[in-house]
Amino acid sequence: MDSNVNMASILEKLGQKETQALLWLAAHVVEDVTRLDPNSVTNATQYKAVLDNSESFMTIMASCFQTKGVPAPILEDAIKCLQSWIIFSQKAPMHQTDILSSLKPMLGNVIEFLAVDTVYDAAAELLIETLSNSPSLFTSDHHKLFEMLFKSPWAAGFYQRIADGDFGFDAIQFAQLLLAFAETRMPLLVQSCHAGNSELLSHLCDILLAQGYPVVDDRIFVPVVEFWSSFAETVPDYLPADSSEEQPWKVPAFSLLLKACSNAWQKITYPPSTEVSDWDSNDRAGFADSRKDVVDLLQSVYALVGPQLLGTFAETVIASLRESDWLRLEAAVYCLGGLADCCQDDNRGDGFLAAVFHSNLFVILRDGRNSVPARTQQTCLQLIELYTEYFERNPILLPPALELLFSTLGDNAMAPAASRSILRLCSSCRAHLHTEIEAFLAEYARVISRQQLDCATSERTIGALSSVAQAIPNPTERYAKYGRILEFIEMELQICQRLASGQQGNDSALPPLACPDTLPEENASLHMALKVLRCLVGMGKGVQAPTENAIDLDHEKQLGASQDAVLPEIQRRIVALIVELQKMFPRSNEITEQICNVLRTGFSETEPGPFVLPPSEVAQYLTSHTFATPRVGLFISTACSFISSVREKENQHNILSAVLGWVIGLLRQFPYINSPGITAGGAAQIDVSAEPEVAQNAIEISSRMLTKDPSVILHIQPAEMAEFFFLFALQALDSNEPLPKAAAAEFWATFVNAKSSDENCQSALNSAMNTLGPILCQSLARNIGGNASRSELDKLSEPLKKLVNRYSKAKEWFEAGLNHPSFPSTKVSQAEKAMFVKKVVSLRGARATNQVVRDFWLAARGSSFSYAA
């Protein structure tokens, strides 16, 4: 546009349609240019053209805003055009100051247009977006306009509509505008909440009490709760480190936050179940999420005001119990539970919690169960679990709490929450509970005599009972209780066997499966078998000694004879359960997985225990599995954990050798690929992809053995077993299977870096590297030369870094590998290869080697490689 043209005089001659057309043009032009990257040289011309003509466009919009009697459609288009220009101004190079100075006055016009019904939607949308994304465009005059507006009769109408539950589009826009303004003024609002801004903050408190359920009806509730959480988190930023200096705004700010908490938690009370049943899944999930947002607010406020917040909910719990207001009780208990993390190690709130847990809450939940809604019962049971630390400090409350929890195990709706709480309490407070073990066992026996429990409930409860039994000081008594617990599991096995044989007897003897997610076509006996193993896992975890507990060695020695007699019998029974179930379901992957989980529970223990099986027996069991065993890779992975737990120096070498021999025997059963290909050492190509899990875990366990005792691999008999394994690990490094390849890279990094204090072992390592070093470098060269994917380069760099740092011949070996006929790329010259080797060697294994490797890989791939490769 010619700079000599007077746009203002032209506008005076235009009609409404022509003016509207100009606004459309101004908006579309700037929107199209905004989509372009301002940092690209190719787009500089378009940005410059818009900037050169910006004054004319500003004149068009300003004329519409400042001329009286402009029709609403044109005014609305002018506001939308202004919104496009504001977005452009934030993206334009260097945020052009001339444009910004022209835009700011027009924002004041838009604020005034909020009170104009015909353009309210467009004005509110522009202001909400600008406050959220470009708050620096607003001046102090604009802020004063907003403050006057939010205190005006016009705003009062919106406050009342929202309070009455009117969440029309315009009301929601008003609330969003109020929040956007408040968020931009957060520091000022915090520090002046005792003065002029208290009215605005009071409105934001009152909005929380609007009629309707959050999310289901009230779409404003969650953003307002989030605002108050931000307010609470901002307050500490303006409190002086010296607490002796009291701020005049502190008390009003805390009062507002407590009021916001009070208003918010009352809104998250569930309606009667009949009303909840009418909600769709999105409403239910949204309401549940809004409760979590309220808990976040409570936790932020607790950090400021301390335990008095607990007192608020404790009083509400007592009052709700007295009035039998179950829905309100549930909301108060939920909020009280939400504060549990805040006072785990803080006993200042114990007085408030005592009022709750010493009340008749447990009695009502136990005896008046039929009158208390299920959701309220579940929330109260979860409260016990959440305040485990309180019960540890006040063990006198443990028996009645656990009595209540055990009494609800038979209720399918309550069992999940009850069993979680039982497990948490028994595990954490076992030292206070072992004298009650007989009562707990009797109660559990009573429950399961009446009905089947679901798998998760049984696993947790067995784990809880085992935790309590583990704390019994007398080993003889302790093992007797372990035997009792095993009887419960053996009863489940009997049911499994009867289901499998089809001799079910009558219906009462074999009730249907208790798990709610059981499918009609599901194999009932397999389901029960998995339940047995899950219970064994629960028991195995339960009997693990807490790390902080000291062992009374003298006491243990005095009773050694009785332990020697009883412990092996318990272990025999555990092994018998495992063997029987594996025999019943020899092809089940799930059975394999659970058996491995059972075995692992004993590997971390340092003292004798039911699941700390003799290492020779564990090794014998693991190595009995063949290549045909389902998920045999899981047994290899379990063996990897097992060898780390072997501490008997006398048998360690023999056990490790037996396990390694078994693993290599499995690898030798991998098929070979018929198609020709260049492989490590020119040997036949093994199909690593046939069983990637077996390959990965076999290489990983070998790495673990190498770290523990290098001689196991180097001296394994017959010697060709070691040769085969090294060949396999090299071919895995060349394979396209990512997990075995990564494991192989780690193995070779470990092998290259391995050292031994034994001269014979160190000599064997050096001899092996003289043979394997050149072949390993050929494989690394093929990978770095383009065969590997980008994501694998860091792992492949590790053996290379170890090589150049440990072996003087590494430079020679790697040069030969880069010049070997198997090198995959023709895009790097001899000079580039030589420079690459020189850089790698000069870095001596430093982290910068990884980048040098990446650069060479890129050069070998060429500029047209696929990034996803």
Side-chain angles (χ1 to χ4, degrees):
M1 188 176 290
D2 191 338
S3 58
N4 295 320
V5 174
N6 188 330
M7 180 56 69
S9 61
I10 292 176
L11 288 173
E12 292 175 358
K13 302 173 184 178
L14 296 180
Q16 293 180 7
K17 291 184 178 180
E18 290 83 358
T19 302
Q20 200 163 20
L22 278 177
L23 290 169
W24 292 344
L25 174 65
H28 286 304
V29 166
V30 79
E31 287 168 3
D32 289 342
V33 174
T34 303
R35 295 188 186 99
L36 303 176
D37 181 5
N39 299 316
S40 173
V41 177
T42 58
N43 300 328
T45 303
Q46 291 93 324
Y47 269 90
K48 184 177 183 304
V50 172
L51 292 169
D52 289 344
N53 290 280
S54 61
E55 185 178 350
S56 298
F57 289 128
M58 296 296 154
T59 303
I60 297 170
M61 289 183 285
S63 174
C64 294
F65 291 144
Q66 295 165 9
T67 304
K68 293 183 179 181
V70 176
I74 294 178
L75 204 53
E76 187 173 3
D77 286 334
I79 293 171
K80 292 177 180 178
C81 182
L82 175 61
Q83 188 170 0
S84 299
W85 273 89
I86 289 172
I87 296 170
F88 171 79
S89 71
Q90 300 304 298
K91 195 174 181 182
M94 303 302 291
H95 292 333
Q96 296 292 318
T97 54
D98 291 342
I99 296 180
L100 295 177
S101 61
S102 300
L103 292 173
K104 288 180 180 180
M106 288 187 275
L107 283 173
N109 299 126
V110 177
I111 295 171
E112 294 173 346
F113 290 147
L114 282 170
V116 180
D117 291 344
T118 52
V119 294
Y120 167 77
D121 288 352
E125 182 182 341
L126 180 149
L127 293 170
I128 292 167
E129 181 177 301
T130 309
L131 282 166
S132 301
N133 301 322
S134 309
S136 61
L137 290 177
F138 293 93
T139 66
S140 58
D141 289 338
H142 294 147
H143 295 149
K144 289 176 182 176
L145 276 174
F146 274 123
E147 289 168 6
M148 291 171 58
L149 196 70
F150 289 131
K151 295 176 182 178
S152 68
W154 171 82
F158 276 113
Y159 294 137
Q160 188 58 51
R161 286 175 56 192
I162 292 172
D164 293 340
D166 181 351
F167 298 107
F169 180 73
D170 59 337
I172 291 176
Q173 271 195 316
F174 172 81
Q176 290 172 338
L177 181 63
L178 177 64
L179 283 169
F181 174 70
E183 284 163 4
T184 62
R185 306 286 285 164
M186 185 73 78
L188 180 66
L189 289 175
V190 168
Q191 297 175 85
S192 61
C193 60
H194 61 299
N197 288 309
S198 60
E199 184 178 345
L200 182 68
L201 292 170
S202 292
H203 286 308
L204 283 167
C205 267
D206 294 338
I207 285 176
L208 290 170
L209 284 176
Q211 295 295 314
Y213 291 100
V215 180
V216 180
D217 307 305
D218 185 350
R219 304 287 177 174
I220 299 168
F221 179 81
V222 170
V224 178
V225 169
E226 290 172 346
F227 165 81
W228 282 110
S229 292
S230 298
F231 187 93
E233 290 160 7
T234 303
V235 166
D237 296 339
Y238 299 97
L239 287 173
D242 183 6
S243 58
S244 61
E245 184 183 347
E246 191 71 17
Q247 297 295 312
W249 52 266
K250 179 180 175 181
V251 172
F254 283 18
S255 296
L256 282 166
L257 285 169
L258 289 171
K259 182 182 177 185
C261 290
S262 176
N263 292 353
W265 85 261
Q266 295 181 62
K267 276 288 289 283
I268 60 170
T269 302
Y270 268 100
S273 56
T274 52
E275 188 171 342
V276 175
S277 63
D278 293 334
W279 292 354
D280 61 27
S281 58
N282 291 330
D283 287 340
R284 294 185 190 202
F287 185 81
D289 288 341
S290 73
R291 302 184 110 211
K292 296 174 185 176
D293 291 322
V294 171
V295 167
D296 290 341
L297 169 61
L298 296 176
Q299 291 174 346
S300 297
V301 174
Y302 183 96
L304 296 172
V305 304
Q308 66 169 299
L309 203 56
L310 288 176
T312 301
F313 294 110
E315 290 173 6
T316 306
V317 167
I318 303 303
S320 301
L321 285 170
R322 187 170 54 250
E323 299 163 10
S324 300
D325 189 342
W326 308 128
L327 298 177
R328 191 161 180 257
L329 172 66
E330 192 278 334
V333 168
Y334 176 83
C335 294
L336 194 62
L339 293 172
D341 288 341
C342 301
C343 48
Q344 280 184 344
D345 302 316
D346 182 1
N347 60 5
R348 293 177 300 160
D350 282 7
F352 299 121
L353 295 173
V356 173
F357 292 121
H358 282 279
S359 69
N360 58 346
L361 175 64
F362 293 164
V363 175
I364 289 175
L365 291 174
R366 187 185 66 240
D367 300 337
R369 194 171 301 150
N370 294 334
S371 61
V372 181
R375 190 189 306 279
T376 303
Q377 293 184 55
Q378 290 169 342
T379 305
C380 291
L381 296 181
Q382 289 164 357
L383 184 70
I384 299 173
E385 175 191 358
L386 292 170
Y387 279 98
T388 299
E389 288 78 11
Y390 170 80
F391 286 98
E392 284 187 82
R393 295 193 296 268
N394 300 271
I396 193 174
L397 286 167
L398 284 169
L402 284 164
E403 181 186 355
L404 166 66
L405 293 170
F406 272 103
S407 71
T408 60
L409 283 178
D411 187 328
N412 292 335
M414 298 300 111
S419 59
R420 280 192 296 268
S421 298
I422 289 171
L423 178 58
R424 178 83 182 274
L425 280 182
C426 289
S427 179
S428 298
C429 307
R430 64 181 71 189
H432 302 293
L433 291 170
H434 63 83
T435 56
E436 304 288 334
I437 183 64
E438 192 61 43
F440 295 156
L441 291 171
E443 182 61 24
Y444 184 70
R446 184 190 65 80
V447 172
I448 63 173
S449 68
R450 295 181 177 181
Q451 65 185 98
Q452 279 280 338
L453 299 181
D454 66 84
C455 296
T457 297
S458 295
E459 178 184 1
R460 294 187 197 114
T461 312
I462 290 291
L465 294 171
S466 303
S467 297
V468 177
Q470 187 277 328
I472 298 173
N474 184 301
T476 303
E477 185 181 349
R478 184 194 317 151
Y479 290 138
K481 302 309 178 190
Y482 288 163
R484 290 273 302 280
I485 295 168
L486 263 179
E487 288 176 9
F488 296 135
I489 302 175
E490 288 165 341
M491 288 168 57
E492 303 285 3
L493 175 63
Q494 292 170 11
I495 297 174
C496 172
Q497 290 170 326
R498 291 161 65 189
L499 283 170
S501 66
Q503 298 171 353
Q504 297 186 9
N506 56 58
D507 292 340
S508 60
L510 283 175
L513 299 177
C515 295
D517 55 350
T518 304
L519 300 175
E521 65 273 15
E522 189 167 345
N523 184 330
S525 58
L526 175 59
H527 187 102
M528 284 300 298
L530 292 170
K531 180 180 181 181
V532 171
L533 290 171
R534 287 182 62 176
C535 287
L536 277 177
V537 171
M539 182 178 178
K541 292 178 179 178
V543 301
Q544 290 173 347
T547 54
E548 69 274 10
N549 281 16
I551 303 293
D552 185 350
L553 294 177
D554 292 336
H555 189 62
E556 297 287 323
K557 288 176 182 177
Q558 291 170 10
L559 294 152
S562 61
Q563 289 181 52
D564 292 341
V566 177
L567 184 58
E569 173 60 20
I570 293 176
Q571 293 176 338
R572 185 199 63 75
R573 290 166 64 186
I574 292 172
V575 171
L577 286 166
I578 293 172
V579 171
E580 174 63 20
L581 290 170
Q582 191 172 25
K583 189 168 81 172
M584 290 176 65
F585 303 97
R587 306 301 305 166
S588 172
N589 292 338
E590 296 167 294
I591 291 291
T592 297
E593 184 175 357
Q594 289 299 334
I595 287 174
C596 291
N597 291 338
V598 173
L599 295 174
R600 287 175 191 272
T601 60
F603 294 162
S604 61
E605 294 293 271
T606 58
E607 298 297 325
F611 292 83
V612 186
L613 304 175
S616 57
E617 293 183 17
V618 175
Q620 184 179 2
Y621 172 76
L622 290 171
T623 58
S624 68
H625 297 93
T626 67
F627 196 74
T629 302
R631 297 291 303 278
V632 70
L634 276 176
F635 284 111
I636 301 175
S637 176
T638 304
C640 192
S641 302
F642 164 65
I643 62 170
S644 298
S645 70
V646 177
R647 299 175 182 87
E648 298 177 8
K649 291 295 181 183
E650 307 81 41
N651 297 326
Q652 178 176 285
H653 188 88
N654 293 336
I655 289 172
L656 297 186
S657 296
V659 172
L660 181 62
W662 166 64
V663 168
I664 295 175
L666 294 174
L667 295 182
R668 297 184 83 160
Q669 297 180 57
F670 271 63
Y672 288 84
I673 297 175
N674 295 325
S675 58
I678 299 174
T679 60
Q685 190 172 356
I686 302 169
D687 185 8
V688 177
S689 65
E691 282 288 348
E693 183 183 38
V694 174
Q696 175 196 354
N697 291 335
I699 296 171
E700 286 180 352
I701 194 174
S702 303
S703 295
R704 191 76 62 90
M705 288 189 184
L706 192 60
T707 303
K708 200 172 183 75
D709 185 356
S711 67
V712 174
I713 292 181
L714 295 170
H715 298 150
I716 192 169
Q717 295 298 321
E720 59 263 23
M721 293 184 75
E723 294 173 8
F724 176 83
F725 176 76
F726 290 135
L727 172 67
F728 188 94
L730 285 167
Q731 292 200 12
L733 196 65
D734 270 316
S735 75
N736 293 323
E737 286 292 332
L739 296 179
K741 191 188 196 83
E746 184 179 347
F747 170 80
W748 286 114
T750 305
F751 187 82
V752 169
N753 204 43
K755 297 178 183 178
S756 176
S757 57
D758 182 88
E759 290 185 8
N760 292 332
C761 185
Q762 187 60 51
S763 175
L765 280 169
N766 294 337
S767 176
M769 275 306 302
N770 286 331
T771 303
L772 296 168
I775 308 173
L776 173 60
C777 285
Q778 288 177 24
S779 177
L780 291 173
R782 286 191 289 271
N783 278 289
I784 297 169
N787 283 355
S789 64
R790 180 193 296 267
S791 61
E792 294 167 339
L793 294 178
D794 280 343
K795 286 188 177 295
L796 291 165
S797 298
E798 292 307 308
L800 177 60
K801 290 190 289 187
K802 299 291 191 302
L803 272 166
V804 298
N805 199 35
R806 285 290 310 279
Y807 291 93
S808 58
K809 292 184 179 181
K811 180 175 183 292
E812 174 189 333
W813 294 339
F814 201 57
E815 285 175 339
L818 291 171
N819 293 305
H820 192 270
S822 65
F823 186 76
S825 176
T826 58
K827 296 176 181 177
V828 285
S829 65
Q830 290 298 320
E832 288 174 309
K833 291 178 182 178
M835 180 56 69
F836 171 56
V837 174
K838 184 178 179 180
K839 287 181 179 178
V840 170
V841 172
S842 66
L843 286 167
R844 304 294 296 172
R847 175 66 184 170
T849 305
N850 296 46
Q851 185 58 50
V852 172
V853 167
R854 277 194 291 270
D855 293 341
F856 184 79
W857 178 85
L858 282 168
R861 278 288 186 102
S863 58
S864 61
F865 77 93
S866 170
Y867 183 85

